[in-house]
Structure formats: structure tokens, C-alpha cells
Amino acid sequence: MKKSVCLLLKTLVLTSAVTSAMSGSALMNVAYANEAQEKSSYRATKKVPAMRDRVYAQLARAQKLADDGDKIQGFEVLDEVKDRLDSLNSYERAMLFNFYGFMYYANEDVAMAIDSFEKVVAEEIIPDSLIISTLYSLAQLSMQQQNFAQALTHLKKWQKLNAKPLTANQEVFFAQIYYQDKRFQDSLTHLDNAMALVAKDNKLPKENWLILQRANYYELKQPEQVTKVLEQLVRLFDKPQYWLQLSGMYGEIGEEAKQVAVMEAAYQAGYITKAAEITTLAQLYLFHGAPYKSAQLMAEAVAKGSVPADESNLDLLSRSYLAAKEDNKAIKVLTQLSAMAEDGKYDALLAQTYLNNEQWQQAISAANQAITKAEKNQSSEENAPNYLGNMYLAQGMANFNLQKFEDSLTAFAKALKVPSSKATAQQWAKYVEREQDNYATRLAMLN
């Protein structure tokens, strides 16, 4: 049974939060700023001016106020420095806006944090280390704001200046942005790079990396690859949703035996608890030739209240019992369904089941009920239910076995008027007439 997989497979967990360098307690302090200034530039021709003591003291004071929880006064100190912006050198201006950026971010004002950090990188005569770290922060903040094109722009500038090879997490950051920018193959390339890096250290990929990989393959309409990723998620993380999604994907790619096996394993592991999941497994059992398992599963679920005893679920249970040749149990369920439904389809099934079990009078009663409901709901001959002819046949056969020949012939006469049952009714009518004559002859001989 193929089962389409939708929204579940598009669900994506992205680590869009800014790294620890952007956390509230990680405001860049002035000591680090001075140390960064002393480091040699990647561009030897650039000479970075020094930070003067008075500026250092004010920035340090602003940071202490912010660290102590007095954000308002911390901003006031920065504003005092900003009032003398023209007197600051490029490095001092960059550090001032750097402080603004971190403090705005700590204050959950991401838009202003981005604005401040953009002013940092606008200053050219500053340490490359500061430009690099700020560009990366800008990429992260743009990602938070769902400005994916801007995030990619900042990240590419960062990569151009960064002399170090990308770490696995940085590869994944690229992958996240490319995914959001709908460049799914580029996203997969960076994910492959990240997974290769951790594999060198005998480490496993993170769960959210695989989720992102799965989402990319889904968008590229590669269900076989989606399935492979889900197999890995099941193997490494063993969560209920991955088992269920894997089962669905096996159905999607036509590996139906695996679909049933995975679903059954999930049930045995206690992962299948929702009504929809239970009925899905029951349907799979029924479809794949295991009706007894289907009936057993549904009967237990209905008894426990795991699935409601509504028409849809009882219909599945009745069909499972019938397919499993558990007619007596099917009759009980069909009787419940007959009381629920306004049309006579379950009465028709009841009549046929009684007939198969040689319960002639019950078959007649159920067929009568089905016909009565059909006549009540039928507005014209064109919309007569497809079971109507069979019910006349059932009446005729049951009455014949009760040796009620006239009633039997009357029923077959009605069946003759229904195109779907006409041929069968003709054969039975001739047979009943012969048997009626034979019966009359035998009675005469006995008398």
C-alpha cells in the first residue's frame, strides 16, 4: 500500500540561534578589543590605530553597567561616547558600534543589533579579526530575521576573509542558508562536507543535520534518498516519528513489505499510540493479507478506547473479521454498524454473511432491512444502491432453503428487474420452479 508522505517530511529543525559569542553574558570586553588590535592584520598594508585610554575606560564602564543589569545607563554611557563620534578614530568607532550591537542583541532588539554591526564592518581600518567575527554575527542575525539573501552575502564575505578551513558547524550554517534560499543541491554539498569532517573524528552527524538533509532530498523529489536518511535517523536516534515516517516512505517507493515490517516494529516498541496510526497499521495488515492481525489490533484498540468505536473504525474491523473468516465476530460488528448507518450497506453485508453461514431467517431479515433503507433513500431507479439486486437474490436463496418457494420466486422476480442480478435471477428462478414441482410430486406420493 502506497502512502503519501507530506508535511511531516518538510518539517525542518534549523539551529538559527546565534552562537555563544552572541549570548547575553558574552559582550565583547575592552581587554579583548585591545588584544585583537595588537594582532597582525591579514593585509600587511593596513595599520590599525590604537584605542585611547579615555575611550577604553568609557567602553569598559558601559560593559560593567550592562553586566550588572543596568542596561539603560549602559546605553547612556555609549551615547556619551557617540556624541563625540567625529573625534574617534576608525578603530574606536568600530568598537563603539560593536558594543552597541552586543547590547542591542542582549536587549532582544535584533534589527538595531544588525544596524550596529553593519557600522562596524563599514570601518575599514580595523583588525581583520573583528571584521571576520562581525560578519559571521551579521550572517547569524540575518538568518534569525529570515533575511536569507543578506545572510548569504555576509557569510560569503566572511568566508573570503577567513583563512581557516570551515568547521563542520560552519558548513551546516551554509547548508541552512542555502536550504532557505531554495538552493537545495548547494545545501546538500555543505552537509556532505560537514558529515565527512565529523566522520574523520569517528563522530556521528547531529540529528538536525540529518533532518536538514532529508528536507533537501524531499524538495528535490528524491524519495529513495529521503528513505535512506530516515533509515539513518531510525538507527541513530530511534524516535517514534522517524519509524512512522520511514514506514510511510517505504510505501511511497513501493517497498510495501518493509512498510509493514517497520510499522509493526514501531507498534511493538510502543511507538504507535494515536488512533490514526493504529488504523493505518490495521489497514496495512488487511491489505497485505494478514486480516486476523488487523482484526485483533482493531478489536483491542476499540476495547481500550484507543480508537473511537465510530463507523469508520468499525467498518475496518468488520472487513478484517470477514476477510479472516471470523463470521460470527463480523456479524456482531455489522449489527452495530447497521444501527448507526442510514443506508443499508451494512445490512446487505449482514444478509450475505448470514446466507454464507446458512442462517436463512436472519439473512431474510437483514436483506429486508437493507431493501427498506434503500427504498427510503432512493429518489429514482438510476441511483439505486448496487447491493439491491443481491438482496433480492439473498431473499430468494434463503426462502428457497426454507422451502418457501413462492416467496423465493417472488424475490427472484424482483431481482430480474435489476440489470446486475438479472442473469443469476433467471437461473435461480428456473431451478426453484423445478424444485417446487419436484417437491409437490414428492408430497403427493407421500400422501
Side-chain angles (χ1 to χ4, degrees):
M1 174 184 288
K2 292 191 176 182
K3 179 183 177 185
S4 84
V5 177
C6 52
L7 62 352
L8 80 134
L9 293 179
K10 295 184 71 176
T11 301
L12 183 63
V13 176
L14 295 177
T15 51
S16 60
V18 179
T19 57
S20 59
M22 294 293 294
S23 65
S25 61
L27 288 172
M28 183 182 291
N29 56 39
V30 179
Y32 173 80
N34 282 335
E35 181 183 348
Q37 179 200 11
E38 292 167 5
K39 292 184 179 179
S40 61
S41 168
Y42 297 134
R43 295 167 297 204
T45 58
K46 181 173 71 174
K47 185 176 180 181
V48 179
M51 180 180 291
R52 288 166 289 185
D53 289 343
R54 62 182 178 80
V55 178
Y56 174 95
Q58 286 175 296
L59 295 179
R61 181 175 166 230
Q63 169 150 357
K64 186 175 187 310
L65 288 167
D67 288 343
D68 291 343
D70 194 346
K71 296 178 183 178
I72 294 176
Q73 195 168 354
F75 275 112
E76 289 176 352
V77 172
L78 291 183
D79 290 342
E80 290 174 7
V81 179
K82 187 180 178 182
D83 287 341
R84 301 190 301 276
L85 194 64
D86 292 341
S87 68
L88 303 180
N89 62 44
S90 60
Y91 182 53
E92 291 168 340
R93 288 194 297 272
M95 290 309 301
L96 169 64
F97 290 119
N98 194 50
F99 269 76
Y100 268 119
F102 280 108
M103 287 177 65
Y104 277 127
Y105 181 77
N107 209 33
E108 299 183 357
D109 191 340
V110 177
M112 287 302 297
I114 290 174
D115 181 72
S116 300
F117 286 132
E118 285 177 342
K119 290 175 181 175
V120 173
V121 295
E123 298 289 341
E124 294 186 357
I125 312 302
I126 60 175
D128 287 321
S129 57
L130 179 57
I131 295 177
I132 291 169
S133 63
T134 305
L135 284 171
Y136 200 79
S137 295
L138 278 168
Q140 292 173 308
L141 291 170
S142 297
M143 184 76 167
Q144 266 192 298
Q145 295 291 84
Q146 298 185 7
N147 189 340
F148 307 117
Q150 192 62 45
L152 190 57
T153 298
H154 289 310
L155 202 56
K156 285 185 173 180
K157 287 180 181 178
W158 167 84
Q159 187 181 24
K160 187 175 181 181
L161 288 175
N162 181 32
K164 300 177 182 179
L166 295 180
T167 66
N169 285 331
Q170 289 165 351
E171 293 277 10
V172 173
F173 190 27
F174 266 104
Q176 290 170 337
I177 295 176
Y178 278 126
Y179 174 82
Q180 296 291 359
D181 201 37
K182 301 188 184 306
R183 293 170 61 177
F184 305 118
Q185 196 58 59
D186 289 329
S187 179
L188 285 170
T189 298
H190 282 281
L191 282 171
D192 289 342
N193 293 341
M195 292 179 188
L197 286 171
V198 297
K200 287 181 181 178
D201 296 328
N202 295 318
K203 294 180 180 179
L204 298 172
K206 294 180 182 179
E207 184 177 1
N208 68 300
W209 298 3
L210 292 172
I211 293 173
L212 179 57
Q213 187 182 45
R214 179 194 63 185
N216 276 298
Y217 282 129
Y218 181 83
E219 295 293 346
L220 290 169
K221 296 180 172 55
Q222 297 181 17
E224 289 81 6
Q225 294 299 326
V226 172
T227 304
K228 289 180 181 178
V229 177
L230 280 167
E231 287 173 343
Q232 202 169 359
L233 282 165
V234 165
R235 185 168 57 253
L236 297 179
F237 301 101
D238 191 23
K239 290 184 177 179
Q241 63 267 33
Y242 301 143
W243 283 88
L244 297 174
Q245 290 165 10
L246 178 58
S247 174
M249 285 310 303
Y250 278 137
E252 189 79 8
I253 64 175
E255 296 196 31
E256 296 169 346
K258 288 184 178 179
Q259 181 185 16
V260 179
V262 169
M263 197 76 168
E264 185 172 46
Y267 176 70
Q268 292 172 350
Y271 294 156
I272 292 180
T273 56
K274 296 179 181 177
E277 296 164 356
I278 293 170
T279 54
T280 296
L281 177 56
Q283 289 167 343
L284 286 171
Y285 279 146
L286 182 59
F287 185 83
H288 291 285
Y292 185 78
K293 281 187 173 182
S294 176
Q296 188 177 39
L297 174 63
M298 286 299 295
E300 289 177 359
V302 169
K304 292 177 181 177
S306 303
V307 298
D310 58 20
E311 182 177 340
S312 175
N313 292 326
L314 291 178
D315 177 85
L316 175 57
L317 178 56
S318 68
R319 287 186 288 112
S320 299
Y321 275 139
L322 288 171
K325 308 300 182 185
E326 293 281 348
D327 288 355
N328 290 333
K329 292 179 179 178
I331 286 170
K332 291 181 180 178
V333 181
L334 288 170
T335 301
Q336 288 180 264
L337 286 164
S338 171
M340 291 181 179
E342 292 186 3
D343 63 33
K345 61 182 178 181
Y346 298 116
D347 300 281
L349 273 173
L350 262 175
Q352 190 62 53
T353 307
Y354 282 131
L355 195 67
N356 293 342
N357 286 271
E358 300 182 358
Q359 295 176 261
W360 313 123
Q361 192 57 57
Q362 292 91 331
I364 293 169
S365 297
N368 287 340
Q369 181 75 358
I371 293 168
T372 299
K373 288 184 178 180
E375 291 173 347
K376 180 180 178 181
N377 297 319
Q378 180 181 348
S379 57
S380 66
E381 291 185 3
E382 287 74 17
N383 71 344
N386 54 14
Y387 62 76
L388 190 58
N390 287 334
M391 289 302 95
Y392 293 135
L393 291 175
Q395 284 181 327
M397 294 174 191
N399 276 302
F400 168 75
N401 282 283
L402 291 172
Q403 296 182 341
K404 296 181 178 180
F405 300 114
E406 292 301 327
D407 289 341
S408 176
L409 289 169
T410 299
F412 287 132
K414 293 179 180 178
L416 283 168
K417 297 177 182 179
V418 181
S420 61
S421 60
K422 182 177 180 179
T424 303
Q426 284 175 334
Q427 293 172 353
W428 266 97
K430 291 177 182 178
Y431 175 71
V432 172
E433 286 171 352
R434 287 197 304 269
E435 288 300 309
Q436 184 180 30
D437 290 340
N438 292 335
Y439 182 74
T441 300
R442 288 195 298 271
L443 279 180
M445 292 174 63
L446 287 174
N447 293 330

